[in-house]
Amino acid sequence: MKNRQRKRAQNIIRCVKNVAILHLIRSEKLKVNKIRKDIESTPEPRFVTYEQGRLKVLEGISKNQLLKIEFEQLMSSINSSQISFQEYNNQLDLLLKQIRIISFNG
């Protein structure tokens, strides 16, 4: 049998967990907007192009294009529930760190 104090304690714990998730969601929105802003001017990566009827295979992609591919893969993973929300936020932090490193060295 649950007494009032135990119920109250369980409600507090549940509310704290909900607040933590809300903070993660708010943080996620800010991170996604920042990443989108930073990579929006990056052209889409192209691996194969046709010039004058000839096939041209590109040998490499830029770091910004690689970040764009990683971001799209991450968005796909969270939309299909392949990773947890905590892991998703950690990956967003890593992408932001990589963007800062590239823009500092760039």
Side-chain angles (χ1 to χ4, degrees):
M1 185 170 171
K2 294 183 180 181
N3 60 18
R4 288 183 186 183
Q5 289 179 339
R6 183 172 176 91
K7 281 184 182 181
R8 185 167 184 253
Q10 287 175 335
N11 284 338
I12 290 171
I13 291 170
R14 187 175 55 246
C15 289
V16 168
K17 287 180 183 177
N18 290 340
V19 169
I21 290 294
L22 290 175
H23 285 294
L24 280 176
I25 290 170
R26 192 171 101 208
S27 171
E28 175 255 346
K29 286 181 182 180
L30 294 173
K31 292 174 190 175
V32 166
N33 289 338
K34 172 75 172 127
I35 292 171
R36 282 196 175 131
K37 182 180 157 225
D38 288 342
I39 65 173
E40 73 183 2
S41 62
T42 304
E44 290 292 325
R46 294 180 181 255
F47 300 105
V48 177
T49 59
Y50 295 95
E51 291 181 8
Q52 300 171 352
R54 300 177 73 192
L55 176 67
K56 180 179 176 184
V57 178
L58 299 178
E59 294 182 8
I61 58 175
S62 70
K63 292 178 183 177
N64 287 337
Q65 289 173 331
L66 183 62
L67 288 175
K68 194 170 194 173
I69 292 170
E70 287 182 24
F71 179 67
E72 290 171 359
Q73 176 63 36
L74 184 61
M75 295 302 287
S76 173
S77 295
I78 193 66
N79 289 336
S80 61
S81 300
Q82 293 176 349
I83 59 174
S84 69
F85 202 71
Q86 183 65 41
E87 178 65 23
Y88 172 63
N89 270 283
N90 293 340
Q91 293 293 327
L92 287 174
D93 288 336
L94 286 174
L95 279 175
L96 283 171
K97 186 185 236 182
Q98 289 173 348
I99 287 171
R100 275 187 243 124
I101 290 170
I102 288 172
S103 50
F104 180 72
N105 292 334

mmCIF file of all heavy atoms in Angstrom, residues 83-104:
data_model
loop_
_atom_site.group_PDB
_atom_site.id
_atom_site.type_symbol
_atom_site.label_atom_id
_atom_site.label_comp_id
_atom_site.label_asym_id
_atom_site.label_seq_id
_atom_site.Cartn_x
_atom_site.Cartn_y
_atom_site.Cartn_z
ATOM 1 N N ILE A 83 18.282 5.380 -32.818
ATOM 2 C CA ILE A 83 19.141 5.785 -31.703
ATOM 3 C C ILE A 83 18.292 6.454 -30.631
ATOM 4 O O ILE A 83 17.188 6.924 -30.910
ATOM 5 C CB ILE A 83 20.269 6.732 -32.155
ATOM 6 C CG1 ILE A 83 19.704 8.004 -32.800
ATOM 7 C CG2 ILE A 83 21.225 6.039 -33.098
ATOM 8 C CD1 ILE A 83 20.748 9.038 -33.144
ATOM 9 N N SER A 84 18.823 6.496 -29.431
ATOM 10 C CA SER A 84 18.092 7.122 -28.331
ATOM 11 C C SER A 84 18.211 8.640 -28.431
ATOM 12 O O SER A 84 19.081 9.175 -29.117
ATOM 13 C CB SER A 84 18.662 6.657 -26.993
ATOM 14 O OG SER A 84 19.953 7.190 -26.803
ATOM 15 N N PHE A 85 17.334 9.332 -27.727
ATOM 16 C CA PHE A 85 17.330 10.790 -27.775
ATOM 17 C C PHE A 85 18.595 11.341 -27.128
ATOM 18 O O PHE A 85 19.143 12.347 -27.578
ATOM 19 C CB PHE A 85 16.076 11.331 -27.081
ATOM 20 C CG PHE A 85 15.713 12.714 -27.514
ATOM 21 C CD1 PHE A 85 15.209 12.951 -28.781
ATOM 22 C CD2 PHE A 85 15.903 13.779 -26.674
ATOM 23 C CE1 PHE A 85 14.895 14.231 -29.193
ATOM 24 C CE2 PHE A 85 15.585 15.062 -27.069
ATOM 25 C CZ PHE A 85 15.081 15.283 -28.338
ATOM 26 N N GLN A 86 19.082 10.683 -26.099
ATOM 27 C CA GLN A 86 20.321 11.116 -25.449
ATOM 28 C C GLN A 86 21.496 10.959 -26.406
ATOM 29 O O GLN A 86 22.331 11.853 -26.529
ATOM 30 C CB GLN A 86 20.553 10.295 -24.171
ATOM 31 C CG GLN A 86 21.776 10.723 -23.398
ATOM 32 C CD GLN A 86 21.666 12.132 -22.848
ATOM 33 O OE1 GLN A 86 20.618 12.525 -22.374
ATOM 34 N NE2 GLN A 86 22.743 12.883 -22.918
ATOM 35 N N GLU A 87 21.578 9.832 -27.098
ATOM 36 C CA GLU A 87 22.649 9.613 -28.077
ATOM 37 C C GLU A 87 22.551 10.622 -29.217
ATOM 38 O O GLU A 87 23.563 11.129 -29.710
ATOM 39 C CB GLU A 87 22.576 8.179 -28.625
ATOM 40 C CG GLU A 87 23.616 7.859 -29.669
ATOM 41 C CD GLU A 87 25.042 7.901 -29.141
ATOM 42 O OE1 GLU A 87 25.253 7.755 -27.927
ATOM 43 O OE2 GLU A 87 25.949 8.097 -29.972
ATOM 44 N N TYR A 88 21.338 10.920 -29.626
ATOM 45 C CA TYR A 88 21.097 11.916 -30.677
ATOM 46 C C TYR A 88 21.654 13.278 -30.263
ATOM 47 O O TYR A 88 22.354 13.936 -31.038
ATOM 48 C CB TYR A 88 19.587 11.986 -30.932
ATOM 49 C CG TYR A 88 19.123 13.079 -31.849
ATOM 50 C CD1 TYR A 88 19.511 13.127 -33.180
ATOM 51 C CD2 TYR A 88 18.256 14.066 -31.399
ATOM 52 C CE1 TYR A 88 19.052 14.130 -34.026
ATOM 53 C CE2 TYR A 88 17.791 15.058 -32.231
ATOM 54 C CZ TYR A 88 18.196 15.079 -33.548
ATOM 55 O OH TYR A 88 17.737 16.073 -34.385
ATOM 56 N N ASN A 89 21.393 13.700 -29.038
ATOM 57 C CA ASN A 89 21.923 14.968 -28.545
ATOM 58 C C ASN A 89 23.448 14.942 -28.453
ATOM 59 O O ASN A 89 24.106 15.931 -28.760
ATOM 60 C CB ASN A 89 21.315 15.317 -27.183
ATOM 61 C CG ASN A 89 20.057 16.121 -27.321
ATOM 62 O OD1 ASN A 89 20.116 17.306 -27.597
ATOM 63 N ND2 ASN A 89 18.921 15.471 -27.170
ATOM 64 N N ASN A 90 24.008 13.815 -28.059
ATOM 65 C CA ASN A 90 25.469 13.701 -28.011
ATOM 66 C C ASN A 90 26.071 13.832 -29.411
ATOM 67 O O ASN A 90 27.102 14.488 -29.590
ATOM 68 C CB ASN A 90 25.891 12.375 -27.379
ATOM 69 C CG ASN A 90 25.544 12.294 -25.911
ATOM 70 O OD1 ASN A 90 25.327 13.316 -25.259
ATOM 71 N ND2 ASN A 90 25.465 11.087 -25.386
ATOM 72 N N GLN A 91 25.432 13.210 -30.399
ATOM 73 C CA GLN A 91 25.913 13.295 -31.776
ATOM 74 C C GLN A 91 25.793 14.723 -32.311
ATOM 75 O O GLN A 91 26.658 15.186 -33.054
ATOM 76 C CB GLN A 91 25.143 12.326 -32.683
ATOM 77 C CG GLN A 91 25.399 10.870 -32.393
ATOM 78 C CD GLN A 91 26.821 10.461 -32.715
ATOM 79 O OE1 GLN A 91 27.436 10.968 -33.636
ATOM 80 N NE2 GLN A 91 27.340 9.535 -31.928
ATOM 81 N N LEU A 92 24.723 15.417 -31.938
ATOM 82 C CA LEU A 92 24.588 16.820 -32.341
ATOM 83 C C LEU A 92 25.712 17.659 -31.754
ATOM 84 O O LEU A 92 26.262 18.541 -32.432
ATOM 85 C CB LEU A 92 23.228 17.378 -31.906
ATOM 86 C CG LEU A 92 22.008 16.909 -32.676
ATOM 87 C CD1 LEU A 92 20.734 17.429 -32.021
ATOM 88 C CD2 LEU A 92 22.079 17.339 -34.131
ATOM 89 N N ASP A 93 26.072 17.395 -30.491
ATOM 90 C CA ASP A 93 27.186 18.112 -29.871
ATOM 91 C C ASP A 93 28.484 17.866 -30.640
ATOM 92 O O ASP A 93 29.272 18.791 -30.860
ATOM 93 C CB ASP A 93 27.370 17.676 -28.415
ATOM 94 C CG ASP A 93 26.284 18.201 -27.503
ATOM 95 O OD1 ASP A 93 25.660 19.239 -27.838
ATOM 96 O OD2 ASP A 93 26.047 17.582 -26.453
ATOM 97 N N LEU A 94 28.716 16.619 -31.049
ATOM 98 C CA LEU A 94 29.919 16.302 -31.811
ATOM 99 C C LEU A 94 29.939 17.020 -33.160
ATOM 100 O O LEU A 94 30.983 17.530 -33.582
ATOM 101 C CB LEU A 94 30.031 14.792 -32.032
ATOM 102 C CG LEU A 94 30.428 13.966 -30.816
ATOM 103 C CD1 LEU A 94 30.352 12.474 -31.127
ATOM 104 C CD2 LEU A 94 31.820 14.332 -30.360
ATOM 105 N N LEU A 95 28.792 17.069 -33.829
ATOM 106 C CA LEU A 95 28.722 17.777 -35.105
ATOM 107 C C LEU A 95 29.011 19.268 -34.930
ATOM 108 O O LEU A 95 29.734 19.869 -35.729
ATOM 109 C CB LEU A 95 27.355 17.584 -35.758
ATOM 110 C CG LEU A 95 27.141 16.285 -36.523
ATOM 111 C CD1 LEU A 95 25.696 16.186 -37.010
ATOM 112 C CD2 LEU A 95 28.088 16.172 -37.684
ATOM 113 N N LEU A 96 28.458 19.871 -33.886
ATOM 114 C CA LEU A 96 28.732 21.283 -33.619
ATOM 115 C C LEU A 96 30.216 21.518 -33.338
ATOM 116 O O LEU A 96 30.800 22.502 -33.794
ATOM 117 C CB LEU A 96 27.888 21.782 -32.445
ATOM 118 C CG LEU A 96 26.430 22.066 -32.748
ATOM 119 C CD1 LEU A 96 25.658 22.329 -31.468
ATOM 120 C CD2 LEU A 96 26.307 23.240 -33.699
ATOM 121 N N LYS A 97 30.816 20.597 -32.604
ATOM 122 C CA LYS A 97 32.244 20.708 -32.315
ATOM 123 C C LYS A 97 33.059 20.613 -33.607
ATOM 124 O O LYS A 97 33.996 21.381 -33.815
ATOM 125 C CB LYS A 97 32.651 19.586 -31.353
ATOM 126 C CG LYS A 97 34.069 19.672 -30.861
ATOM 127 C CD LYS A 97 34.373 18.451 -30.014
ATOM 128 C CE LYS A 97 34.845 18.845 -28.661
ATOM 129 N NZ LYS A 97 35.201 17.692 -27.834
ATOM 130 N N GLN A 98 32.682 19.692 -34.492
ATOM 131 C CA GLN A 98 33.385 19.549 -35.766
ATOM 132 C C GLN A 98 33.218 20.795 -36.633
ATOM 133 O O GLN A 98 34.165 21.227 -37.284
ATOM 134 C CB GLN A 98 32.882 18.316 -36.511
ATOM 135 C CG GLN A 98 33.305 17.022 -35.875
ATOM 136 C CD GLN A 98 32.667 15.814 -36.535
ATOM 137 O OE1 GLN A 98 31.739 15.942 -37.327
ATOM 138 N NE2 GLN A 98 33.155 14.634 -36.195
ATOM 139 N N ILE A 99 32.034 21.386 -36.626
ATOM 140 C CA ILE A 99 31.803 22.611 -37.397
ATOM 141 C C ILE A 99 32.691 23.727 -36.874
ATOM 142 O O ILE A 99 33.294 24.472 -37.650
ATOM 143 C CB ILE A 99 30.305 23.011 -37.358
ATOM 144 C CG1 ILE A 99 29.494 22.054 -38.223
ATOM 145 C CG2 ILE A 99 30.105 24.445 -37.822
ATOM 146 C CD1 ILE A 99 27.990 22.218 -38.094
ATOM 147 N N ARG A 100 32.789 23.855 -35.551
ATOM 148 C CA ARG A 100 33.655 24.892 -34.968
ATOM 149 C C ARG A 100 35.112 24.666 -35.342
ATOM 150 O O ARG A 100 35.834 25.616 -35.669
ATOM 151 C CB ARG A 100 33.505 24.921 -33.450
ATOM 152 C CG ARG A 100 32.335 25.769 -33.015
ATOM 153 C CD ARG A 100 32.290 25.942 -31.521
ATOM 154 N NE ARG A 100 31.036 25.319 -31.099
ATOM 155 C CZ ARG A 100 30.922 24.356 -30.198
ATOM 156 N NH1 ARG A 100 31.956 23.929 -29.544
ATOM 157 N NH2 ARG A 100 29.761 23.840 -29.904
ATOM 158 N N ILE A 101 35.558 23.418 -35.327
ATOM 159 C CA ILE A 101 36.950 23.108 -35.679
ATOM 160 C C ILE A 101 37.213 23.440 -37.141
ATOM 161 O O ILE A 101 38.226 24.057 -37.468
ATOM 162 C CB ILE A 101 37.257 21.620 -35.388
ATOM 163 C CG1 ILE A 101 37.300 21.381 -33.883
ATOM 164 C CG2 ILE A 101 38.566 21.193 -36.040
ATOM 165 C CD1 ILE A 101 37.359 19.910 -33.493
ATOM 166 N N ILE A 102 36.284 23.080 -38.020
ATOM 167 C CA ILE A 102 36.453 23.347 -39.450
ATOM 168 C C ILE A 102 36.450 24.847 -39.725
ATOM 169 O O ILE A 102 37.289 25.350 -40.462
ATOM 170 C CB ILE A 102 35.358 22.636 -40.275
ATOM 171 C CG1 ILE A 102 35.627 21.131 -40.266
ATOM 172 C CG2 ILE A 102 35.320 23.157 -41.702
ATOM 173 C CD1 ILE A 102 34.516 20.296 -40.872
ATOM 174 N N SER A 103 35.538 25.578 -39.115
ATOM 175 C CA SER A 103 35.486 27.016 -39.370
ATOM 176 C C SER A 103 36.679 27.739 -38.730
ATOM 177 O O SER A 103 37.135 28.753 -39.241
ATOM 178 C CB SER A 103 34.168 27.627 -38.913
ATOM 179 O OG SER A 103 33.864 27.253 -37.600
ATOM 180 N N PHE A 104 37.224 27.208 -37.641
ATOM 181 C CA PHE A 104 38.412 27.813 -37.019
ATOM 182 C C PHE A 104 39.655 27.569 -37.880
ATOM 183 O O PHE A 104 40.462 28.454 -38.059
ATOM 184 C CB PHE A 104 38.617 27.230 -35.615
ATOM 185 C CG PHE A 104 39.811 27.786 -34.909
ATOM 186 C CD1 PHE A 104 39.799 29.084 -34.430
ATOM 187 C CD2 PHE A 104 40.961 27.017 -34.725
ATOM 188 C CE1 PHE A 104 40.906 29.621 -33.779
ATOM 189 C CE2 PHE A 104 42.068 27.551 -34.084
ATOM 190 C CZ PHE A 104 42.037 28.844 -33.609
#
